PDB file of all heavy atoms in Angstrom:
ATOM      1  N   GLY A  45     -13.223 -66.038 -60.020  1.00 50.00           N
ATOM      2  CA  GLY A  45     -14.333 -66.428 -59.142  1.00 50.00           C
ATOM      3  C   GLY A  45     -13.944 -67.402 -58.059  1.00 50.00           C
ATOM      4  O   GLY A  45     -14.782 -67.824 -57.276  1.00 50.00           O
ATOM      5  N   ALA A  46     -12.675 -67.831 -58.019  1.00 49.00           N
ATOM      6  CA  ALA A  46     -12.273 -68.791 -57.000  1.00 49.00           C
ATOM      7  C   ALA A  46     -12.249 -68.127 -55.639  1.00 49.00           C
ATOM      8  O   ALA A  46     -12.001 -66.941 -55.507  1.00 49.00           O
ATOM      9  CB  ALA A  46     -10.878 -69.334 -57.322  1.00 49.00           C
ATOM     10  N   LYS A  47     -12.503 -68.939 -54.592  1.00 48.00           N
ATOM     11  CA  LYS A  47     -12.496 -68.401 -53.229  1.00 48.00           C
ATOM     12  C   LYS A  47     -11.075 -68.024 -52.831  1.00 48.00           C
ATOM     13  O   LYS A  47     -10.129 -68.723 -53.147  1.00 48.00           O
ATOM     14  CB  LYS A  47     -13.012 -69.450 -52.242  1.00 48.00           C
ATOM     15  CG  LYS A  47     -14.502 -69.627 -52.280  1.00 48.00           C
ATOM     16  CD  LYS A  47     -14.905 -70.548 -51.153  1.00 48.00           C
ATOM     17  CE  LYS A  47     -16.428 -70.695 -51.073  1.00 48.00           C
ATOM     18  NZ  LYS A  47     -16.820 -71.575 -49.986  1.00 48.00           N
ATOM     19  N   PRO A  48     -10.919 -66.915 -52.081  1.00 48.00           N
ATOM     20  CA  PRO A  48      -9.572 -66.568 -51.615  1.00 48.00           C
ATOM     21  C   PRO A  48      -9.124 -67.540 -50.542  1.00 48.00           C
ATOM     22  O   PRO A  48      -9.944 -68.089 -49.805  1.00 48.00           O
ATOM     23  CB  PRO A  48      -9.769 -65.162 -51.017  1.00 48.00           C
ATOM     24  CG  PRO A  48     -11.210 -65.102 -50.650  1.00 48.00           C
ATOM     25  CD  PRO A  48     -11.938 -65.947 -51.680  1.00 48.00           C
ATOM     26  N   SER A  49      -7.824 -67.793 -50.457  1.00 54.00           N
ATOM     27  CA  SER A  49      -7.287 -68.668 -49.429  1.00 54.00           C
ATOM     28  C   SER A  49      -7.587 -68.082 -48.061  1.00 54.00           C
ATOM     29  O   SER A  49      -7.728 -66.881 -47.898  1.00 54.00           O
ATOM     30  CB  SER A  49      -5.774 -68.789 -49.602  1.00 54.00           C
ATOM     31  OG  SER A  49      -5.184 -69.293 -48.443  1.00 54.00           O
ATOM     32  N   ARG A  50      -7.623 -68.960 -47.047  1.00 56.00           N
ATOM     33  CA  ARG A  50      -7.906 -68.449 -45.699  1.00 56.00           C
ATOM     34  C   ARG A  50      -6.845 -67.449 -45.267  1.00 56.00           C
ATOM     35  O   ARG A  50      -7.088 -66.577 -44.470  1.00 56.00           O
ATOM     36  CB  ARG A  50      -7.933 -69.614 -44.707  1.00 56.00           C
ATOM     37  CG  ARG A  50      -9.165 -70.491 -44.845  1.00 56.00           C
ATOM     38  CD  ARG A  50      -9.228 -71.449 -43.661  1.00 56.00           C
ATOM     39  NE  ARG A  50     -10.424 -72.247 -43.703  1.00 56.00           N
ATOM     40  CZ  ARG A  50     -10.502 -73.431 -44.297  1.00 56.00           C
ATOM     41  NH1 ARG A  50      -9.445 -73.915 -44.914  1.00 56.00           N
ATOM     42  NH2 ARG A  50     -11.626 -74.113 -44.288  1.00 56.00           N
ATOM     43  N   PHE A  51      -5.621 -67.602 -45.712  1.00 61.00           N
ATOM     44  CA  PHE A  51      -4.557 -66.691 -45.338  1.00 61.00           C
ATOM     45  C   PHE A  51      -4.226 -65.768 -46.492  1.00 61.00           C
ATOM     46  O   PHE A  51      -3.136 -65.252 -46.603  1.00 61.00           O
ATOM     47  CB  PHE A  51      -3.297 -67.463 -44.911  1.00 61.00           C
ATOM     48  CG  PHE A  51      -3.456 -68.177 -43.612  1.00 61.00           C
ATOM     49  CD1 PHE A  51      -2.601 -69.208 -43.257  1.00 61.00           C
ATOM     50  CD2 PHE A  51      -4.466 -67.819 -42.728  1.00 61.00           C
ATOM     51  CE1 PHE A  51      -2.748 -69.860 -42.057  1.00 61.00           C
ATOM     52  CE2 PHE A  51      -4.619 -68.464 -41.525  1.00 61.00           C
ATOM     53  CZ  PHE A  51      -3.769 -69.487 -41.188  1.00 61.00           C
ATOM     54  N   ALA A  52      -5.199 -65.562 -47.425  1.00 50.00           N
ATOM     55  CA  ALA A  52      -5.033 -64.650 -48.553  1.00 50.00           C
ATOM     56  C   ALA A  52      -3.776 -64.966 -49.341  1.00 50.00           C
ATOM     57  O   ALA A  52      -3.028 -64.103 -49.725  1.00 50.00           O
ATOM     58  CB  ALA A  52      -4.993 -63.198 -48.070  1.00 50.00           C
ATOM     59  N   ALA A  53      -3.502 -66.239 -49.558  1.00 46.00           N
ATOM     60  CA  ALA A  53      -2.310 -66.640 -50.305  1.00 46.00           C
ATOM     61  C   ALA A  53      -2.686 -67.705 -51.309  1.00 46.00           C
ATOM     62  O   ALA A  53      -3.639 -68.458 -51.112  1.00 46.00           O
ATOM     63  CB  ALA A  53      -1.243 -67.188 -49.353  1.00 46.00           C
ATOM     64  N   GLU A  54      -1.984 -67.831 -52.398  1.00 44.00           N
ATOM     65  CA  GLU A  54      -2.262 -68.815 -53.428  1.00 44.00           C
ATOM     66  C   GLU A  54      -1.683 -70.154 -52.995  1.00 44.00           C
ATOM     67  O   GLU A  54      -0.487 -70.290 -52.808  1.00 44.00           O
ATOM     68  CB  GLU A  54      -1.607 -68.371 -54.740  1.00 44.00           C
ATOM     69  CG  GLU A  54      -2.127 -67.027 -55.229  1.00 44.00           C
ATOM     70  CD  GLU A  54      -3.026 -67.184 -56.423  1.00 44.00           C
ATOM     71  OE1 GLU A  54      -3.180 -68.317 -56.867  1.00 44.00           O
ATOM     72  OE2 GLU A  54      -3.571 -66.194 -56.886  1.00 44.00           O
ATOM     73  N   ARG A  55      -2.508 -71.172 -52.854  1.00 45.00           N
ATOM     74  CA  ARG A  55      -2.012 -72.471 -52.420  1.00 45.00           C
ATOM     75  C   ARG A  55      -1.100 -73.105 -53.460  1.00 45.00           C
ATOM     76  O   ARG A  55      -0.229 -73.890 -53.130  1.00 45.00           O
ATOM     77  CB  ARG A  55      -3.171 -73.427 -52.137  1.00 45.00           C
ATOM     78  CG  ARG A  55      -3.970 -73.042 -50.907  1.00 45.00           C
ATOM     79  CD  ARG A  55      -5.156 -73.968 -50.784  1.00 45.00           C
ATOM     80  NE  ARG A  55      -6.014 -73.522 -49.715  1.00 45.00           N
ATOM     81  CZ  ARG A  55      -6.118 -74.143 -48.553  1.00 45.00           C
ATOM     82  NH1 ARG A  55      -5.408 -75.216 -48.314  1.00 45.00           N
ATOM     83  NH2 ARG A  55      -6.923 -73.687 -47.626  1.00 45.00           N
ATOM     84  N   SER A  56      -1.376 -72.782 -54.744  1.00 45.00           N
ATOM     85  CA  SER A  56      -0.611 -73.420 -55.799  1.00 45.00           C
ATOM     86  C   SER A  56       0.747 -72.783 -56.008  1.00 45.00           C
ATOM     87  O   SER A  56       1.560 -73.273 -56.761  1.00 45.00           O
ATOM     88  CB  SER A  56      -1.398 -73.362 -57.108  1.00 45.00           C
ATOM     89  OG  SER A  56      -1.611 -72.018 -57.474  1.00 45.00           O
ATOM     90  N   GLU A  57       0.986 -71.660 -55.361  1.00 46.00           N
ATOM     91  CA  GLU A  57       2.241 -70.926 -55.570  1.00 46.00           C
ATOM     92  C   GLU A  57       3.406 -71.731 -55.032  1.00 46.00           C
ATOM     93  O   GLU A  57       3.328 -72.342 -53.976  1.00 46.00           O
ATOM     94  CB  GLU A  57       2.165 -69.573 -54.858  1.00 46.00           C
ATOM     95  CG  GLU A  57       3.377 -68.712 -55.134  1.00 46.00           C
ATOM     96  CD  GLU A  57       3.236 -67.346 -54.483  1.00 46.00           C
ATOM     97  OE1 GLU A  57       2.151 -67.086 -53.953  1.00 46.00           O
ATOM     98  OE2 GLU A  57       4.198 -66.591 -54.534  1.00 46.00           O
ATOM     99  N   ARG A  58       4.488 -71.753 -55.736  1.00 46.00           N
ATOM    100  CA  ARG A  58       5.690 -72.447 -55.291  1.00 46.00           C
ATOM    101  C   ARG A  58       6.843 -71.463 -55.314  1.00 46.00           C
ATOM    102  O   ARG A  58       7.068 -70.773 -56.303  1.00 46.00           O
ATOM    103  CB  ARG A  58       6.042 -73.621 -56.224  1.00 46.00           C
ATOM    104  CG  ARG A  58       4.946 -74.664 -56.278  1.00 46.00           C
ATOM    105  CD  ARG A  58       4.856 -75.403 -54.929  1.00 46.00           C
ATOM    106  NE  ARG A  58       3.868 -76.445 -54.991  1.00 46.00           N
ATOM    107  CZ  ARG A  58       2.604 -76.264 -54.699  1.00 46.00           C
ATOM    108  NH1 ARG A  58       2.184 -75.073 -54.328  1.00 46.00           N
ATOM    109  NH2 ARG A  58       1.760 -77.266 -54.763  1.00 46.00           N
ATOM    110  N   ARG A  59       7.583 -71.402 -54.239  1.00 47.00           N
ATOM    111  CA  ARG A  59       8.728 -70.501 -54.216  1.00 47.00           C
ATOM    112  C   ARG A  59       9.913 -71.244 -53.642  1.00 47.00           C
ATOM    113  O   ARG A  59       9.880 -71.648 -52.484  1.00 47.00           O
ATOM    114  CB  ARG A  59       8.430 -69.270 -53.361  1.00 47.00           C
ATOM    115  CG  ARG A  59       7.342 -68.403 -53.920  1.00 47.00           C
ATOM    116  CD  ARG A  59       7.289 -67.087 -53.210  1.00 47.00           C
ATOM    117  NE  ARG A  59       7.089 -67.299 -51.777  1.00 47.00           N
ATOM    118  CZ  ARG A  59       6.985 -66.314 -50.910  1.00 47.00           C
ATOM    119  NH1 ARG A  59       7.083 -65.071 -51.301  1.00 47.00           N
ATOM    120  NH2 ARG A  59       6.784 -66.554 -49.636  1.00 47.00           N
ATOM    121  N   PRO A  60      10.969 -71.478 -54.426  1.00 44.00           N
ATOM    122  CA  PRO A  60      12.137 -72.172 -53.894  1.00 44.00           C
ATOM    123  C   PRO A  60      12.793 -71.339 -52.804  1.00 44.00           C
ATOM    124  O   PRO A  60      12.753 -70.117 -52.836  1.00 44.00           O
ATOM    125  CB  PRO A  60      13.060 -72.293 -55.125  1.00 44.00           C
ATOM    126  CG  PRO A  60      12.614 -71.199 -56.032  1.00 44.00           C
ATOM    127  CD  PRO A  60      11.131 -71.045 -55.797  1.00 44.00           C
ATOM    128  N   PRO A  61      13.360 -72.010 -51.787  1.00 45.00           N
ATOM    129  CA  PRO A  61      14.009 -71.246 -50.717  1.00 45.00           C
ATOM    130  C   PRO A  61      15.177 -70.454 -51.259  1.00 45.00           C
ATOM    131  O   PRO A  61      15.883 -70.883 -52.156  1.00 45.00           O
ATOM    132  CB  PRO A  61      14.480 -72.350 -49.751  1.00 45.00           C
ATOM    133  CG  PRO A  61      14.569 -73.581 -50.580  1.00 45.00           C
ATOM    134  CD  PRO A  61      13.501 -73.443 -51.637  1.00 45.00           C
ATOM    135  N   LYS A  62      15.380 -69.280 -50.675  1.00 43.00           N
ATOM    136  CA  LYS A  62      16.455 -68.413 -51.136  1.00 43.00           C
ATOM    137  C   LYS A  62      17.358 -68.071 -49.964  1.00 43.00           C
ATOM    138  O   LYS A  62      16.930 -68.020 -48.825  1.00 43.00           O
ATOM    139  CB  LYS A  62      15.871 -67.123 -51.731  1.00 43.00           C
ATOM    140  CG  LYS A  62      14.893 -67.380 -52.856  1.00 43.00           C
ATOM    141  CD  LYS A  62      14.370 -66.093 -53.430  1.00 43.00           C
ATOM    142  CE  LYS A  62      15.424 -65.415 -54.252  1.00 43.00           C
ATOM    143  NZ  LYS A  62      14.905 -64.223 -54.923  1.00 43.00           N
ATOM    144  N   ALA A  63      18.609 -67.872 -50.266  1.00 42.00           N
ATOM    145  CA  ALA A  63      19.542 -67.435 -49.237  1.00 42.00           C
ATOM    146  C   ALA A  63      19.258 -65.973 -48.962  1.00 42.00           C
ATOM    147  O   ALA A  63      19.591 -65.102 -49.746  1.00 42.00           O
ATOM    148  CB  ALA A  63      20.975 -67.615 -49.719  1.00 42.00           C
ATOM    149  N   ARG A  64      18.587 -65.691 -47.836  1.00 49.00           N
ATOM    150  CA  ARG A  64      18.138 -64.333 -47.561  1.00 49.00           C
ATOM    151  C   ARG A  64      19.256 -63.455 -47.019  1.00 49.00           C
ATOM    152  O   ARG A  64      19.239 -62.268 -47.163  1.00 49.00           O
ATOM    153  CB  ARG A  64      16.978 -64.363 -46.571  1.00 49.00           C
ATOM    154  CG  ARG A  64      15.704 -64.907 -47.191  1.00 49.00           C
ATOM    155  CD  ARG A  64      14.569 -64.811 -46.170  1.00 49.00           C
ATOM    156  NE  ARG A  64      13.299 -65.050 -46.805  1.00 49.00           N
ATOM    157  CZ  ARG A  64      12.805 -66.258 -47.044  1.00 49.00           C
ATOM    158  NH1 ARG A  64      13.499 -67.311 -46.699  1.00 49.00           N
ATOM    159  NH2 ARG A  64      11.628 -66.404 -47.641  1.00 49.00           N
TER     160      ARG A  64
END
Side-chain angles (χ1 to χ4, degrees):
K47 284 187 176 180
S49 163
R50 287 191 176 91
F51 290 161
E54 300 253 357
R55 291 175 187 253
S56 61
E57 185 177 353
R58 299 291 183 271
R59 295 192 303 181
K62 303 181 73 175
R64 289 184 168 83

